[in-house]
Amino acid sequence: MDDLDPARRAAFAQDLLHVLAAHCPGSRAELKGSLARGTADAYSDIDIAWTVPDDRFEVCVAGARGVLEAVRPLDSLRTDPELQHSRKRRLLFAAFQGLPLFWRVDLEIRASSVAHLADHDQDDPAASGDDWSRPASALANAVAASKAVLRGQPQAAQRLLERGFRRIDAPDGVTGQWLADIGHLAHTAADREPGLRPLADRVVRLAENHLAGTDEEEPRRRDGRRRRTRPGR
């Protein structure tokens, strides 16, 4: 079972803030989201805004992997494709070895001149790119679905899993038998990209460790009707 002690997560987050700010003179690193508001639960991820001088933006983006790995080795690092070519704002998703997958770090790197513009470049086609892994994104959906189940949000879990299957052009196999559904999505994603097999195995273990006894016998469709599961699925 993963150690979900919030004090451990808080200490790790502070380490990240310190290392990021120290890496780039004139920058500042701050918590965002539920950790900043004080509303986080044991499953909440770590949202960080790293505001850097405009003339250091590209250097900081290029060095982000090394900065993060100075705190703890990475399991994976992905870039939000919607901001992949933005000249002043990027969003990175980092999962770390030895930490619960629930505690993904969402690192927003932004130039000082647009720090006050929360949606800068969000809808600009020129800022988006296609150099990203759809199977890795599907695995992130599987982790998010586990989190939704634990929070008592089965409809959100279903939507996340359906989105994950669509990401990898796989048939929608969501039944509401959460362990089986998450395992199916994780293994299918790894089949699409074999290099993700170790991470997919971690996703499966996460579900096995935390979701026992949470399956719905007759999961609801999004239109509110019951959807019967097939035996053996």
Side-chain angles (χ1 to χ4, degrees), residues 152-175:
Q153 301 167 346
Q155 292 182 334
Q158 180 174 317
R159 288 193 296 271
L160 285 160
L161 289 170
E162 289 171 345
R163 192 180 309 154
F165 282 112
R166 286 197 299 272
R167 279 270 192 267
I168 53 178
D169 297 321
D172 174 4
V174 182
T175 67

Side-chain angles (χ1 to χ4, degrees), residues 6 31 47 53 58 67 89 95 104 125 131 183 233:
L31 290 175
D47 295 313
E58 293 293 344
V67 176
R89 184 168 171 247
R104 187 181 78 179
D131 182 16
R233 286 295 294 272

Side-chain angles (χ1 to χ4, degrees), residues 163-204:
R163 192 180 309 154
F165 282 112
R166 286 197 299 272
R167 279 270 192 267
I168 53 178
D169 297 321
D172 174 4
V174 182
T175 67
Q177 302 296 309
W178 302 121
L179 287 176
D181 290 343
I182 290 166
H184 182 200
L185 177 56
H187 290 307
T188 304
D191 288 344
R192 298 285 198 274
E193 190 173 325
L196 292 173
R197 179 66 62 187
L199 183 58
D201 289 343
R202 282 194 67 194
V203 172
V204 172

Side-chain angles (χ1 to χ4, degrees), residues 47-123:
D47 295 313
I48 293 176
W50 187 21
T51 305
V52 304
D54 282 52
D55 61 355
R56 297 283 294 168
F57 177 78
E58 293 293 344
V59 172
C60 288
V61 169
R65 175 182 288 273
V67 176
L68 295 173
E69 288 191 321
V71 180
R72 181 180 283 268
L74 287 165
D75 244 347
S76 66
L77 182 65
R78 299 186 295 118
T79 303
D80 182 350
E82 292 186 1
L83 297 170
Q84 204 163 69
H85 298 306
S86 173
R87 295 180 181 272
K88 294 194 174 184
R89 184 168 171 247
R90 302 287 175 88
L91 181 58
L92 308 182
F93 307 118
F96 290 83
Q97 294 179 19
L99 290 181
L101 288 174
F102 293 133
W103 296 353
R104 187 181 78 179
V105 173
D106 291 5
L107 175 62
E108 180 186 4
I109 309 173
R110 57 196 186 188
S112 297
S113 62
V114 301
H116 62 294
L117 301 175
D119 297 326
H120 179 75
D121 272 351
Q122 196 67 50
D123 299 315

